[in-house]
Amino acid sequence: MEVKIQSEDTPESTASRERSAASDHALSLSVERLPPSALAGDDRYISGRNDRNSILIDGGRFLMGTNDPEAFAGDGEGPVRETQVDSFYLDECTVTNAQFGQFVRETGYRTEAERFGWSFVFHLFVSPQTSAHVRTVVQSTPWWWVVEGADWAHPEGPDSDVNERADHPAIHISWNDANAYCGWAGTRLPTEAEWEYAARGGLIQKKYPWGDVLRPDGQHQCNIWQGIFPTQNNAADGYAGTAPSRSFPANGYGLYNMSGNVWEWCADNYVTDHEKSILAKTVITSNEVRKVLKGGSYLCHRSYCNRYRVAARIPNTPDTSTGHIGFRCAFDVLPV
C-alpha cells in the first residue's frame, strides 16, 4: 500500500481505517518495544507543568506574511498584511521529551501515534531491524516511511528511545496531542499571527528570525539539512536529526529555534484567503480538516523545502504525527 499526500514536506494522515490496520500489525512485531512511559518514569528527567521559561511578548501591529520571490504562493504566505497582536506569553523553547514525559506520567495520556500504532519516520533514521517490517512508504516522497511502533517515546521505531534526548523537542505529536498537553499545562497553542510576530523578534519583514542572511559570518543559526536531499546530510550545523530545544542563538525576544529543528503547530485553521481569515483571534474547532504549521524542520533544504523562513507555513490534519513535528506553548496575559 502507498500513501498519497498533499504536502511536499510533511505527509498527511490517511483514513483511520488505514491506521487501524497498521496498528493491528504492530502488535505482531518481533522487536520488543520499550514502555511508552520509559522516560516519564525516570526521576532524572522530571520537568513539571510549571517548569517552563516563558517570554512576555508585548503586543503591537506588525507586517505579517511576505511578498518575497522565494515564497510559495500556493501556501498563502502572502500578501503582506498589517496585523494586530495582543500581549501574550510564549515559551522560549518547544516542549521537550522531559516535559511531555511528565505529562504522560501524571495523566496516562496516549498519543494518537500510540493509539493508531504507527507514525511517519524519515527513512535514514530507521534501523535495519525495523526497516524489515516497513510495508508502506509515501507515494510521492518515498523518504517518508510508515513505521509501526514509532511514537514520541520511540521516535525512530520500537527499537529506539528518548532517554538520551530529554532536552530535545517531543516529536510525533499531533495537533490533538499538543492541545491535550496544553490543557494539562494550563496553556494553549499560539495563533499563527502570534507565532510569526514572536518569531520575527522585533525585526520588520526579515526573512529569518535573525535577518536576511542564512549564515551571517558563516555561522549556522538553525538546524536544517545540509548536503544532498534526501540521501546525504553532512550535518554541518551539528545535527542530523533534532537538536536540543534550547540551541543556536535566541532571537530578539529570547526565543530559540523559531527556524528549523521541528515544525510547530499553531491553533489556526489553515486558510490561504487572508481577507476572510481572523489572524490574531482564532476560534479553535476540532473538526477542521487542516491546521497551520510554522518554522520548518531539520529536513528543510533550499532545494527541497525552503520553508525555514519566518513567513513560511504548511497545513496538516489534526491527527498527523511525524518525526519532525512538535509544538510550543503560549498563554494569555491575565488582566490586572
Side-chain angles (χ1 to χ4, degrees):
M1 178 181 69
E2 291 187 329
V3 180
K4 294 183 179 180
I5 62 169
Q6 296 179 0
S7 169
E8 277 192 350
D9 184 58
T10 304
E12 294 189 2
S13 291
T14 54
S16 296
R17 60 181 178 271
E18 291 183 345
R19 279 189 179 263
S20 298
S23 179
D24 292 341
H25 179 69
L27 298 176
S28 67
L29 283 177
S30 60
V31 180
E32 181 180 356
R33 290 189 63 191
L34 295 173
S37 58
L39 175 67
D42 191 330
D43 288 340
R44 292 176 299 165
Y45 300 123
I46 290 178
S47 181
R49 71 189 76 191
N50 296 318
D51 187 16
R52 302 181 359 259
N53 292 318
S54 301
I55 306 293
L56 173 62
I57 309 295
D58 291 325
R61 299 189 72 81
F62 79 109
L63 297 178
M64 184 175 180
T66 185
N67 296 325
D68 192 320
E70 290 187 10
F72 294 91
D75 289 352
E77 292 188 37
V80 174
R81 60 269 186 199
E82 190 173 12
T83 304
Q84 173 69 40
V85 173
D86 294 334
S87 296
F88 65 103
Y89 286 92
L90 187 66
D91 285 0
E92 66 176 13
C93 300
T94 49
V95 171
T96 65
N97 286 314
Q99 291 167 324
F100 199 82
Q102 179 66 6
F103 164 57
V104 170
R105 181 177 185 174
E106 289 193 14
T107 65
Y109 182 82
R110 297 180 69 231
T111 60
E112 291 195 295
E114 291 172 277
R115 284 179 275 140
F116 291 139
W118 64 272
S119 190
F120 291 107
V121 181
F122 189 71
H123 71 117
L124 293 183
F125 298 141
V126 182
S127 71
Q129 293 81 6
T130 297
S131 297
H133 299 283
V134 173
R135 290 175 167 78
T136 306
V137 300
V138 178
Q139 182 178 21
S140 58
T141 52
W143 45 85
W144 280 115
W145 291 3
V146 171
V147 175
E148 296 167 10
D151 54 52
W152 78 271
H154 310 89
E156 292 80 51
D159 55 354
S160 65
D161 62 62
V162 292
N163 290 332
E164 301 302 320
R165 288 176 273 182
D167 60 346
H168 285 231
I171 54 177
H172 297 289
I173 304 297
S174 72
W175 187 89
N176 297 320
D177 296 331
N179 273 283
Y181 177 95
C182 288
W184 167 79
T187 62
R188 59 175 174 79
L189 290 175
T191 67
E192 181 180 8
E194 288 173 335
W195 192 99
E196 186 170 324
Y197 179 71
R200 292 186 179 279
L203 301 178
I204 300 174
Q205 280 292 291
K206 296 298 184 181
K207 189 170 296 187
Y208 310 112
W210 54 87
D212 284 327
V213 178
L214 179 61
R215 291 193 296 134
D217 299 321
Q219 299 300 307
H220 293 281
Q221 302 294 310
C222 63
N223 177 20
I224 56 176
W225 186 283
Q226 291 94 37
I228 302 172
F229 189 88
T231 58
Q232 180 185 350
N233 185 352
N234 61 37
D237 57 24
Y239 305 96
T242 59
S245 287
R246 186 183 285 102
S247 54
F248 299 97
N251 76 352
Y253 289 158
L255 303 167
Y256 291 88
N257 290 322
M258 298 300 283
S259 282
N261 213 26
V262 293
W263 284 101
E264 299 181 24
W265 288 112
C266 294
D268 304 58
N269 303 331
Y270 179 82
V271 298
T272 56
D273 183 351
H274 301 297
E275 294 298 319
K276 297 180 180 179
S277 65
I278 302 173
L279 293 170
K281 295 291 186 181
T282 299
V283 177
I284 298 175
T285 55
S286 60
N287 61 348
E288 294 295 332
V289 174
R290 296 191 294 178
K291 302 294 180 180
V292 176
L293 288 151
K294 296 283 283 186
S297 81
Y298 61 84
L299 295 179
C300 282
H301 186 269
R302 185 180 180 88
S303 69
Y304 159 64
C305 174
N306 183 15
R307 290 182 173 90
Y308 38 89
R309 295 168 294 99
V310 176
R313 60 203 298 267
I314 59 170
N316 223 316
T317 56
D319 65 343
T320 292
S321 62
T322 74
H324 68 343
I325 292 179
F327 70 106
R328 77 178 68 211
C329 298
F331 59 96
D332 297 327
V333 175
L334 297 177
V336 178

